[in-house]
Amino acid sequence: MQVAAGAASGAACRMQRIKGALNHRAGSHAPFRPARPAFRHFGVALRQLPLAEPLRAVRADQATESLDAAVVQVISQITGVVDESMAKTLAASAEAAQQVETAADSELRSKVVGAVHKLQTGLLERETEVRLMLLASLCGEHLLLLGPPGTAKSELARRLSGLAQGAYFERLLTRFSVPEELFGPLSMQGLENDRYVRKTDGYLPTAEVAFVDEIFKANSAILNALLTLLNERLFDNGNQRLPVPLLCLVGASNELPESEELDALYDRFLIRRTVAQVTNAQIGKLARLAAGRPADPSSSSNGNGSGSSGPALDMEDFR
């Protein structure tokens, strides 16, 4: 028994010396522990991963880039063809327009030139607005002028009324405007006879040229009748739908509409123009015009250009 106990004690001592040597080689004072099975399985799985997967991913990215480049090239080719076709179409249209024979001294052309001169006389930097307004009136459309106060928006409409020699109506709208301001008051006699009609004489339904300032401040009570009047040239008066003689309505505003309910009114204006104030270079001419003197001291006419004694546009030309 003593021999067996001594042999076991010697084996235990040898095991302790072996563990101490292993710990010393590893540079750690922690006791020796065998590797965990999970780490062994992870290492095995990592070694068994196929090396072809990263290469396959790289090849897929390269194929995608090649496809994107091909799509961009196709789009570029299509755009180039469209641009070339458009350029040819525009060139052909310009050439055809040059080949159209028009009489240089035709009566209509003389009338239009005279009307442009008459409308822009005494105004500075309003040549484009004058031509757009005349175009709108001759085509039966409406003109929207956007710009700050003091840019001759209402003056243009008044000059168009004087040129056409037609009935003129002008009104400034506010948030509190009522339909009676535009379409006329209710007929008291009609109410006595149980008829809901308006007295429209002298109001928008009987005007041929109209100017409505701050038009986008119109409320819902005004919008319905105004939209029909602008688009269909019709006005609902009581139980009757009456035609209106309106040639052109010039609308003015200091800002664009912000409410969605005003989008339909904005669409009624086919021609829209932003009007800017007179530039600083024209202040001197503006002061001379305000004083009643010619804008150009070397010219005897009070305006832009020379006078014109040709035929003038009349109401039949606008109709």
Side-chain angles (χ1 to χ4, degrees), residues 69-85:
V71 171
V72 170
Q73 185 177 3
V74 171
I75 294 176
S76 177
Q77 293 176 354
I78 294 175
T79 304
V81 172
V82 171
D83 293 341
E84 183 179 358
S85 178

Side-chain angles (χ1 to χ4, degrees), residues 24 96 150:
H24 179 72

Side-chain angles (χ1 to χ4, degrees), residues 3 32 68 87 103 116 127 141 143 158 181 187 209 293 318:
V3 174
F32 174 77
D68 293 341
V116 169
E127 294 82 4
E141 295 295 339
L143 173 66
R158 297 189 192 103
E181 298 181 29
S187 173
V209 178
R293 294 183 295 174
F318 288 98

Side-chain angles (χ1 to χ4, degrees), residues 31-282:
F32 174 77
R33 294 185 178 89
R36 296 179 181 178
F39 288 102
R40 290 199 300 270
H41 294 323
F42 177 76
V44 173
L46 186 63
R47 287 192 297 271
Q48 292 178 353
L49 282 177
L51 296 178
E53 291 297 332
L55 295 178
R56 189 177 296 111
V58 171
R59 290 173 183 173
D61 292 340
Q62 293 177 351
T64 302
E65 293 178 358
S66 301
L67 181 60
D68 293 341
V71 171
V72 170
Q73 185 177 3
V74 171
I75 294 176
S76 177
Q77 293 176 354
I78 294 175
T79 304
V81 172
V82 171
D83 293 341
E84 183 179 358
S85 178
M86 182 64 69
K88 291 181 179 179
T89 302
L90 293 176
S93 300
E95 184 179 357
Q98 293 177 356
Q99 294 177 355
V100 175
E101 296 182 359
T102 58
D105 55 348
S106 64
E107 183 179 1
L108 180 59
R109 182 180 184 278
S110 300
K111 288 182 177 182
V112 172
V113 171
V116 169
H117 169 75
K118 185 177 180 180
L119 290 173
Q120 71 183 18
T121 298
L123 299 178
L124 296 175
E125 299 179 346
R126 294 296 175 264
E127 294 82 4
T128 302
E129 289 78 8
V130 164
R131 285 165 171 78
L132 289 177
M133 184 177 62
L134 188 59
L135 174 64
S137 59
L138 289 173
C139 296
E141 295 295 339
H142 308 293
L143 173 66
L144 176 63
L145 298 177
L146 298 171
T151 51
K153 297 188 293 292
S154 60
E155 178 63 22
L156 288 172
R158 297 189 192 103
R159 293 192 176 203
L160 178 62
S161 174
L163 177 69
Q165 296 296 321
Y168 179 67
F169 176 80
E170 180 176 338
R171 189 69 71 217
L172 171 65
L173 296 184
T174 66
R175 296 293 183 185
F176 307 101
S177 296
V178 293
E180 285 75 15
E181 298 181 29
L182 288 178
F183 311 117
L186 292 174
S187 173
M188 296 295 102
Q189 185 177 1
L191 290 177
E192 292 177 357
N193 298 327
D194 297 331
R195 293 189 302 117
Y196 191 86
V197 295
R198 297 184 182 275
K199 301 183 66 174
T200 59
D201 292 339
Y203 289 87
L204 183 57
T206 60
E208 293 170 321
V209 178
F211 175 75
V212 180
D213 200 2
E214 297 297 338
I215 191 169
F216 293 125
K217 292 184 178 180
N219 51 46
S220 58
I222 297 175
L223 277 178
N224 293 332
L226 187 58
L227 292 175
T228 305
L229 190 145
L230 292 178
N231 198 34
E232 285 86 9
R233 300 297 202 282
L234 296 172
F235 176 69
D236 295 325
N237 194 9
N239 58 359
Q240 294 181 341
R241 173 162 283 194
L242 305 175
V244 298
L246 185 63
L247 291 176
C248 177
L249 185 142
V250 179
S253 178
N254 298 332
E255 57 188 2
L256 288 172
E258 298 180 355
S259 176
E260 292 183 357
E261 66 180 4
L262 295 174
D263 291 344
L265 179 59
Y266 182 76
D267 291 338
R268 293 300 189 273
F269 293 94
L270 182 62
I271 303 177
R272 307 154 191 163
R273 171 70 176 178
T274 300
V275 185
Q277 293 181 343
V278 176
T279 59
N280 295 332
Q282 301 291 334

